[in-house]
């Protein structure tokens, strides 16, 4: 079974948050509307904790980075507006995940800052977590940042570890894989234009529709580098956490309002 009370794949473009949309609120409206729906679903599931998989958190080269601080705080500036967020960390769950990952032979570390406990024990909350969490219930989190130096097969294995830990927990736990897709859709964007961007995003949408997330591990590394997605690694963790025979993917939306692709999807149980 799917051990998570609710799971989803979300993007993290800043303008998705209404307060950061500036004078172009229509630009990411399709995605924003999908995020509102996902947030309502997560809220109805009543999670005690939400695990967030983000590519932009505190990184450890060659290891999975797992938040172990007392709390996390972050802010985001866009379109001359400002958004900030603080969340408490479910340290008990974070340490259980770290312990289980290490026992499985995976390189993983639980990270902290300043003091072991108390108000100074605070890590940065990145936009990859802030954006989806802005639509979710305000509950404790565990923020996990993968490493691209780690093989995709180990990302899948890390997902299997997450599944085992969550299955053995008495808590209701939600899961967010925070993923933007190809970043080379627009020659005026920071990464320029490459035809691989549209090709990769089309393939990814197809894999969502066919429930074959694992096939992203077969993408040629040069193809991935040309398209510049940042969602494959988190998606592989989710695929391990909710394997194909246990999941049902509902694709809410896909759009490319600027230079990078945005996908919103619910990942439910296969019997739903």
């Amino acid at each position: 079974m799917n051990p998570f009370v609710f799971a989803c794949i979300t993007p993290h473009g800043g303008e998705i948050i209404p307060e950061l949309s500036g004078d172009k609120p229509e630009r990411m409206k399709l995605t924003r509307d999908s995020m509102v729906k996902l947030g309502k679903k997560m809220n109805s599931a009543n999670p005690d904790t939400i695990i967030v998989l983000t590519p932009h958190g505190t990184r450890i080269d060659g290891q999975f980075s797992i938040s172990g601080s007392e709390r996390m705080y972050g802010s985001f500036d866009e379109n001359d507006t400002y958004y900030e967020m603080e969340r408490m960390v479910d340290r008990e769950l974070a340490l259980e995940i770290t312990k289980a990952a290490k026992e499985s032979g995976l390189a993983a570390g639980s990270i902290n800052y300043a003091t072991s406990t108390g108000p100074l024990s605070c890590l940065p909350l990145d936009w990859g977590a802030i954006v989806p969490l802005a639509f979710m219930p305000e509950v404790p989190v565990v923020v996990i940042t993968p490493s691209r130096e780690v093989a995709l097969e180990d990302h899948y294995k890390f997902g299997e570890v997450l599944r085992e830990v969550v299955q053995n927990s008495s808590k209701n736990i939600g899961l967010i894989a925070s993923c933007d897709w190809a970043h080379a859709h627009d020659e005026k964007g920071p990464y320029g234009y490459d035809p691989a961007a549209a090709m990769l995003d089309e393939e990814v949408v197809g894999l969502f529709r066919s429930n074959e997330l694992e096939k992203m591990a077969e993408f040629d590394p040069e193809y991935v580098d040309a398209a510049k997605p940042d969602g494959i690694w988190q998606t592989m963790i989710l695929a391990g956490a909710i394997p194909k025979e246990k999941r049902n993917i509902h694709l809410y939306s896909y759009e490319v309002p600027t230079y990078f692709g945005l996908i919103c999807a619910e990942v439910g149980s296969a019997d739903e």
Side-chain angles (χ1 to χ4, degrees):
M1 61 174 289
N2 179 348
F4 300 93
V5 293
F6 186 74
C8 56
I9 297 174
T10 72
H12 47 256
E15 291 183 40
I16 301 168
I17 298 176
E19 291 88 340
L20 299 180
S21 62
D23 59 359
K24 296 181 179 178
E26 296 298 314
R27 182 151 61 185
M28 294 187 181
K29 185 178 186 302
L30 176 63
T31 296
R32 189 178 303 115
D33 289 348
S34 295
M35 291 293 289
V36 170
K37 293 176 183 177
L38 290 172
K40 288 180 178 178
K41 285 283 192 79
M42 182 73 84
N43 190 67
S44 296
N46 195 31
D48 299 309
T49 300
I50 298 175
I51 296 172
V52 185
L53 312 174
T54 170
H56 300 302
T58 304
R59 303 182 184 190
I60 306 174
D61 286 347
Q63 295 189 49
F64 294 94
S65 170
I66 302 163
S67 62
S69 54
E70 188 92 6
R71 62 189 179 95
M72 302 183 76
Y73 167 82
S75 61
F76 202 17
D77 295 282
E78 194 151 336
N79 294 320
D80 297 319
T81 52
Y82 177 80
Y83 190 86
E84 62 181 345
M85 176 182 290
E86 181 178 4
R87 290 289 184 270
M88 301 305 293
V89 175
D90 186 336
R91 304 182 79 183
E92 178 185 35
L93 180 61
L95 292 174
E96 288 174 356
I97 293 169
T98 305
K99 181 175 181 289
K102 289 180 176 179
E103 289 176 348
S104 295
L106 294 167
S110 178
I111 59 173
N112 201 344
Y113 175 78
T115 58
S116 58
T117 59
L120 294 179
S121 173
C122 181
L123 286 167
L125 193 62
D126 70 282
W127 68 94
I130 290 173
V131 173
L133 288 174
F135 296 86
M136 303 295 163
E138 190 170 340
V139 298
V141 299
V142 175
V143 175
I144 299 172
T145 301
S147 170
R148 297 188 186 185
E149 286 77 31
V150 175
L152 287 173
E153 291 80 4
D154 282 348
H155 284 72
Y156 188 90
K157 185 177 179 181
F158 186 87
E160 293 178 323
V161 169
L162 281 187
R163 181 171 79 247
E164 182 178 356
V165 170
V166 171
Q167 285 174 335
N168 291 332
S169 175
S170 61
K171 297 174 181 176
N172 292 330
I173 299 171
L175 177 65
I176 299 171
S178 181
C179 307
D180 286 339
W181 296 95
H183 283 61
H185 284 280
D186 187 346
E187 62 181 10
K188 296 180 180 179
Y191 304 100
Y193 170 77
D194 195 294
M199 294 169 59
L200 184 138
D201 277 7
E202 183 178 0
E203 285 197 66
V204 167
V205 169
L207 294 177
F208 273 60
R209 294 189 187 281
S210 62
N211 189 23
E212 294 179 306
L213 303 181
E214 293 81 0
K215 288 190 175 181
M216 292 186 201
E218 300 173 10
F219 287 166
D220 184 275
E222 291 185 4
Y223 176 47
V224 172
D225 184 62
K228 293 180 170 50
D230 72 12
I232 294 174
W233 298 265
Q234 300 84 257
T235 300
M236 288 301 296
I237 295 175
L238 181 142
I242 312 171
K244 181 179 179 179
E245 67 275 10
K246 303 295 184 182
R247 67 176 180 250
N248 176 39
I249 300 175
H250 178 197
L251 182 68
Y252 281 33
S253 59
Y254 166 72
E255 65 172 339
V256 189
T258 58
Y259 62 91
F260 56 99
L262 308 175
I263 291 176
C264 291
E266 176 182 347
V267 185
S269 296
D271 56 355
E272 293 179 349

